[in-house]
């Protein structure tokens, strides 16, 4: 009973850390809109968004090494504090080169911090609770879109850019005191002693290794296009970004609260492809919406698919990688996710300039539908 209470407390603290970490990303989903208000082109916006994600990707292997060498909690606290430090100057300069440098540095530290907290949850959550636990944990990923995103949207749309950047720095700084109570996690080998960490070369031989990386990339590529550039599309049409983002987040949270135990029972490996295809179908038709009501409805339907997709994505990582390979495996999974975030702003930014933002959003939706079907085939082949 005491052990169960201790687990719940630790899990709740880790959820708070995830909430704050993802709040930073949710706030900066509006950064393209902020840059547009500052007079930057979609192309420059794409570079600034991609730089953050590129450096976040480069930080992933360092994240695995740091968590193994200096510990998860220390890695988390130091890197989160440094993200806050390098976010503050964004409010005081419009020099493109300086903005690129600041976004790159903050992206690297943010990427390491995500590996730290994800490794912590992957090691501390028991296997038999993994599906439902990550359904709950994924609420912390999306809850900032319901709570802090509307506030950041108001700051950005009202021209209160200093408050916008201060909010981003504050959520990262708050991780420092929030992460201090996290207890260490224990890894056990067959004799009950901690097993040595595994080597990178062991990863490709694991069943499902390539399929899980492809799943991570496709999910990120499609979803990041939606969450980073649909707000800009909505503002161009005269709507607040919240008309899609808030219904999407609300429905995703509601589904995870009411159906979280389903995640323990479904076949997560064969479910991820169809769920991504469902995201793509919504994205194909959403740019054709002609009224606020249709965008709200689109957000609700997209939220249903997101309510399933992200818990599956989170649970697939520890499903595939054993304890001694988990930090390295999780860092590679986030590398694949980051690659989707890196490439999508270039496709959306430059594709939007050539074809128009609405058409390129629909194109991304078609890619998601076809890619999800290919993933289903890949996972089925992997199980044979």
């Amino acid at each position: 009973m005491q052990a169960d209470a201790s687990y719940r407390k630790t899990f709740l603290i880790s959820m708070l850390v995830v909430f704050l970490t993802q709040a930073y990303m949710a706030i900066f989903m509006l950064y393209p809109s902020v840059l547009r208000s500052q007079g930057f082109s979609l192309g420059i916006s794409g570079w600034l968004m991609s730089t953050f994600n590129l450096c976040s990707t480069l930080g992933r292997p360092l994240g695995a090494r740091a968590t193994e060498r200096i510990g998860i909690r220390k890695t988390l606290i130091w890197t989160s504090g440094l993200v806050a430090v390098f976010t503050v100057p964004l409010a005081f300069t419009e020099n493109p080169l300086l903005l690129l440098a600041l976004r790159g540095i903050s992206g690297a530290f943010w990427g390491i911090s995500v590996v730290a907290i994800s490794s912590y949850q992957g090691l501390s959550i028991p296997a038999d609770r993994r599906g439902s636990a990550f359904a709950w944990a994924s609420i912390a990923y999306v809850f900032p879109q319901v709570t802090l995103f509307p506030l950041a949207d108001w700051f950005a749309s009202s021209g209160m850019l200093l408050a916008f950047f201060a909010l981003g720095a504050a959520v990262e700084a708050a991780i420092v005191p929030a992460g201090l109570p996290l207890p260490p996690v224990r890894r056990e080998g067959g004799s009950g002693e901690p097993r040595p960490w595994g080597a990178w070369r062991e990863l490709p031989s694991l069943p499902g290794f390539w399929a899980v990386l492809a799943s991570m990339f496709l999910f990120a590529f499609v979803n990041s296009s939606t969450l980073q550039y649909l707000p800009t599309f909505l503002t161009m049409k005269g709507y607040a970004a919240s008309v899609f983002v808030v219904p999407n987040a609300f429905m995703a949270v509601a589904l995870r609260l009411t159906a979280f135990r389903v995640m323990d029972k479904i076949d997560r490996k064969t479910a991820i492809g169809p769920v991504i295809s469902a995201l793509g179908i919504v994205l194909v038709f959403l740019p054709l919406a002609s009224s606020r009501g249709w965008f709200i409805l689109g957000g609700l339907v997209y939220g249903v698919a997101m309510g399933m997709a992200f818990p599956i994505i989170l649970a697939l990582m520890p499903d595939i990688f054993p304890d001694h390979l988990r930090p390295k495996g999780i860092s590679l999974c986030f590398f694949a996710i980051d690659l989707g975030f890196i490439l999508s702003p270039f496709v959306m930014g430059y594709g939007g300039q050539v074809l128009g933002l609405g058409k390129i959003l629909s194109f991304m939706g078609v890619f998601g539908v076809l890619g999800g079907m290919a993933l289903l085939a890949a996972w089925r082949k992997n199980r044979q």
Side-chain angles (χ1 to χ4, degrees):
M1 192 73 176
Q2 185 177 1
D4 197 54
S6 176
Y7 163 75
R8 286 198 298 268
K9 179 182 177 181
T10 299
F11 180 66
L12 289 173
I13 294 172
S14 71
M15 279 188 64
L16 174 60
V17 172
V18 169
F19 169 81
L20 293 169
T21 302
Q22 296 304 314
Y24 185 84
M25 182 61 76
I27 290 165
F28 274 87
M29 280 161 42
L30 290 161
Y31 196 39
S33 297
V34 170
L35 291 168
R36 184 170 175 267
S37 71
Q38 292 176 317
F40 291 101
S41 67
L42 279 174
I44 295 296
S45 168
W47 274 102
L48 290 172
M49 296 299 290
S50 290
T51 296
F52 179 93
N53 295 313
L54 174 62
C55 292
S56 175
T57 301
L58 296 176
R60 301 303 190 188
L62 293 176
R65 187 173 182 83
T67 55
E68 292 175 357
R69 293 297 180 90
I70 68 175
I72 293 175
R73 187 176 64 176
K74 286 183 180 179
T75 301
L76 174 69
I77 289 171
W78 275 101
T79 53
S80 299
L82 288 168
V83 172
V85 168
F86 285 99
T87 296
V88 172
L90 292 173
F92 302 102
T93 180
E94 294 185 9
N95 183 295
L97 292 179
L98 184 55
L99 289 174
L100 280 170
L102 292 169
R103 288 286 284 166
I105 295 170
S106 59
F109 287 125
W110 188 85
I112 295 171
S113 73
V114 171
V115 170
I117 189 57
S118 299
S119 297
Y120 188 91
Q121 288 189 323
L123 289 166
S124 63
I125 296 173
D128 60 344
R129 300 186 185 184
R130 191 171 290 155
S132 56
F134 277 112
W136 277 101
S138 64
I139 294 172
Y141 279 81
V142 74
F143 203 57
Q145 297 173 30
V146 181
T147 54
L148 293 179
F149 182 89
L151 179 60
D153 190 14
W154 179 57
F155 287 155
S157 60
S158 301
M160 294 186 287
L161 301 189
L162 185 60
F164 173 84
F165 290 112
L167 182 62
V171 295
E172 282 291 326
I175 296 173
V176 176
L180 286 172
L182 285 173
V185 291
R186 179 175 175 79
R187 299 177 301 110
E188 292 188 356
S191 63
E193 295 299 321
R195 182 176 179 178
W197 295 110
W200 292 101
R201 64 179 178 273
E202 298 177 54
L203 295 172
S205 63
L206 294 174
F209 174 75
W210 296 109
V212 77
L213 292 185
S215 300
M216 301 293 152
F217 170 78
L218 182 63
F219 170 76
F221 191 59
V222 174
N223 193 50
S224 65
S225 300
T226 306
L227 296 183
Q228 292 185 120
Y229 281 89
L230 190 61
T232 302
F233 178 75
L234 287 168
T235 57
M236 291 170 65
K237 291 180 71 73
Y239 300 111
S242 301
V243 301
F244 171 83
V245 174
V246 173
N248 163 57
F250 174 81
M251 184 57 72
V253 169
L255 184 65
R256 292 165 194 174
L257 284 173
T258 57
F260 62 94
R261 294 203 180 277
V262 174
M263 296 300 169
D264 288 328
K265 301 176 181 178
I266 64 172
D267 185 344
R268 293 186 284 266
K269 295 174 183 177
T270 55
I272 187 60
V275 171
I276 293 176
S277 289
L279 294 174
I281 290 171
V282 177
L283 190 55
V284 168
F285 294 104
L286 202 57
L288 306 178
S290 57
S291 69
R292 181 188 303 270
W294 282 111
F295 284 114
I296 293 173
L297 179 61
L300 292 171
V301 177
Y302 195 89
V304 172
M306 272 296 293
M308 294 289 292
F310 201 56
I312 294 173
I313 285 291
L314 292 176
L316 275 176
M317 299 184 203
D319 280 348
I320 297 299
F321 303 107
D323 283 4
H324 70 291
L325 290 170
R326 201 154 288 165
K328 289 183 173 70
I330 287 175
S331 73
L332 280 186
C333 283
F334 278 107
F335 184 97
I337 290 173
D338 284 341
L339 188 61
F341 274 87
I342 290 166
L343 295 179
S344 65
F346 285 112
V347 173
M348 299 304 299
Y350 287 104
Q353 285 184 338
V354 175
L355 300 175
L357 201 50
K359 288 182 179 178
I360 200 66
L361 281 166
S362 293
F363 170 82
M364 190 62 70
V366 172
F367 184 81
V369 173
L370 298 177
M373 294 168 61
L375 274 181
L376 177 60
W379 278 113
R380 284 179 172 173
K381 182 178 179 181
N382 183 73
R383 295 178 71 97
Q384 293 176 356

